[in-house]
């Protein structure tokens, strides 16, 4: 999907040093934008088969992006609870503008769909307008709040059916 030479995505545990490094960087971004770290409880087993997956994107051998999904049977969207939640989407500042976030999101959607998810859900915040723009351009629509920040005024929850053909939602 992305035409950047030297780009690859690798499935790794969230505890892998490259994953942990980038997760810590995204936490720093949350501190800068919201004044604190993301407090959502995260158990590393959320991202192990069959519950989910964690990925690191590499550009020329250097870790520059993360993305993950975990099963959410407690979120009902479009009549199904076969949902997967996007977590820890992040691209380091030096690699932004190369469509790596879009490529990671597509990879998350594809792998979640392959595992049986019918809808992808996510929670983001109003102080991340570039993330909201990415998700909306990929076909995500607002849904009722869910999860740890469901009642937070800056929180926004979105979803997209994974049953649509990929080209329809990404055009």
């Amino acid at each position: 999907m992305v035409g950047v030479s030297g780009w690859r995505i690798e499935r790794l545990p969230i505890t892998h040093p490259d994953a942990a490094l980038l997760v810590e960087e995204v936490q720093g971004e949350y501190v800068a934008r919201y004044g604190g770290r993301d407090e959502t409880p995260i158990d590393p087993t959320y991202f192990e088969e069959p519950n989910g997956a964690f990925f690191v994107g590499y550009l020329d051998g250097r870790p520059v992006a993360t993305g993950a999904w975990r099963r959410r049977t407690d979120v009902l969207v479009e009549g199904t609870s076969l949902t997967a939640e996007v977590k820890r989407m992040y691209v380091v500042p030096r690699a932004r503008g190369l469509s790596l976030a879009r490529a990671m999101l597509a990879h998350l959607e594809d792998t979640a769909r392959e595992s049986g998810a019918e809808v992808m859900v996510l929670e983001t915040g109003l102080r991340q307008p570039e993330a909201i723009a990415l998700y909306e351009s990929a076909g995500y629509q607002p849904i009722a709040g869910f999860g740890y920040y469901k009642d937070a005024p800056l929180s926004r929850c979105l979803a997209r059916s994974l049953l649509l053909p990929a080209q329809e939602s990404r055009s």
Side-chain angles (χ1 to χ4, degrees):
M1 175 180 184
V2 71
V4 176
S5 178
W7 168 250
R8 68 181 167 84
I9 297 174
E10 189 173 326
R11 184 179 183 152
L12 296 170
I14 192 172
T15 55
H16 184 280
D18 291 344
L21 173 75
L22 293 174
V23 166
E24 195 55 34
E25 281 190 36
V26 76
Q27 288 289 357
E29 190 131 341
Y30 298 147
V31 170
R33 292 181 188 228
Y34 297 100
R37 296 170 66 86
D38 179 355
E39 300 290 330
T40 305
I42 295 290
D43 181 329
T45 63
Y46 292 164
F47 308 109
E48 295 174 0
E49 289 185 51
N51 301 320
F54 193 95
F55 300 94
V56 174
Y58 291 87
L59 187 59
D60 297 325
R62 296 173 59 196
V64 297
T66 59
W69 61 265
R70 65 176 175 168
R71 293 195 185 280
R72 290 296 301 241
T73 58
D74 61 329
V75 181
L76 183 67
V77 178
E78 297 183 13
T80 184
S81 62
L82 296 174
T83 59
E85 179 186 13
V86 173
K87 295 300 293 176
R88 299 299 184 247
M89 280 280 297
Y90 178 68
V91 175
V92 299
R94 71 182 178 278
R96 293 179 184 163
L98 301 174
S99 297
L100 303 182
R102 187 170 302 281
M104 181 64 77
L105 181 60
H107 185 76
L108 297 178
E109 292 171 349
D110 291 344
T111 57
R113 181 185 307 105
E114 289 166 5
S115 81
E118 295 180 356
V119 173
M120 189 69 97
V121 300
L122 63 90
E123 185 272 331
T124 191
L126 289 178
R127 294 188 179 151
Q128 293 167 268
E130 61 281 355
I132 292 171
L134 168 70
Y135 298 132
E136 288 177 344
S137 73
Y140 285 75
Q141 299 292 318
I143 61 169
F146 68 90
Y148 189 80
Y149 290 104
K150 70 179 176 188
D151 297 320
L154 294 176
S155 175
R156 293 298 177 266
C157 293
L158 306 168
R160 183 180 92 72
S161 172
L162 295 178
L163 302 179
L164 293 174
Q167 62 275 19
E168 258 184 62
S169 65
R170 296 184 191 139
S171 54

